[in-house]
Amino acid sequence: MVSYLGSKNMRHNYKNLKIWQLGITIANEISDILIEFPKHERYDLSSQISRCSVSMPSNIAEGSSRTDKSFSHFLDISLGSSFELITQLLIATHRKYINEKQFNQLEIKIEEFQRMTMSFQNGLK
């Protein structure tokens, strides 16, 4: 698939996008952390956290096959999932499922993902 920067009918190779790569990194780190969550959270908070983290790069991948206008909508969904993820991680920190250091390291990466994604999205318009 060829990507023509600046074209309104542009398609993107999502695997080459830094936002997708960072989203994958975040999803994988979340997966590693969730192994340590209490078993009783498996279908509640843990499941929600997992779905949000997977949604971030997944929506970028799906949207990359669309027109820029449609892609922007998928980026909105990805961003929404990232903000939801921070909220859920704050709850997990409060419940002592993750420590402050883990939270802070993830928050830094998620906020970088948000900045990069918003900047990329602004370039589509």
Side-chain angles (χ1 to χ4, degrees):
M1 188 177 299
V2 178
S3 175
Y4 298 99
L5 295 177
S7 169
K8 286 297 176 194
N9 295 319
M10 163 169 56
R11 301 296 191 269
H12 301 269
N13 182 339
Y14 65 91
K15 291 179 184 177
N16 292 332
L17 296 174
K18 287 183 176 25
I19 55 174
W20 179 82
Q21 294 167 2
L22 181 53
I24 289 291
T25 298
I26 292 167
N28 288 337
E29 289 181 16
I30 291 289
S31 179
D32 293 343
I33 286 174
L34 291 177
I35 292 168
E36 303 299 322
F37 271 47
K39 298 292 183 232
H40 73 272
E41 285 290 1
R42 183 171 292 147
Y43 301 107
D44 293 323
L45 185 60
S46 177
S47 178
Q48 286 182 288
I49 289 172
S50 178
R51 283 194 311 272
C52 279
S53 67
V54 169
S55 171
M56 292 163 53
S58 295
N59 275 289
I60 292 167
E62 185 174 356
S64 70
S65 70
R66 312 291 178 103
T67 63
D68 284 355
K69 182 178 180 182
S70 185
F71 192 8
S72 184
H73 172 71
F74 281 89
L75 293 173
D76 281 337
I77 295 168
S78 183
L79 282 166
S81 293
S82 73
F83 283 98
E84 185 178 354
L85 179 58
I86 288 179
T87 300
Q88 293 163 352
L89 291 172
L90 280 166
I91 293 167
T93 304
H94 176 77
R95 294 180 182 176
K96 309 245 185 284
Y97 301 157
I98 63 174
N99 62 44
E100 290 286 331
K101 182 180 178 186
Q102 289 172 306
F103 172 79
N104 290 335
Q105 290 172 339
L106 284 166
E107 184 181 38
I108 288 167
K109 286 182 182 169
I110 296 166
E111 287 176 347
E112 177 66 12
F113 172 86
Q114 292 167 345
R115 281 190 296 277
M116 289 171 60
T117 301
M118 286 186 254
S119 176
F120 180 80
Q121 187 177 38
N122 288 337
L124 293 177
K125 297 176 182 175

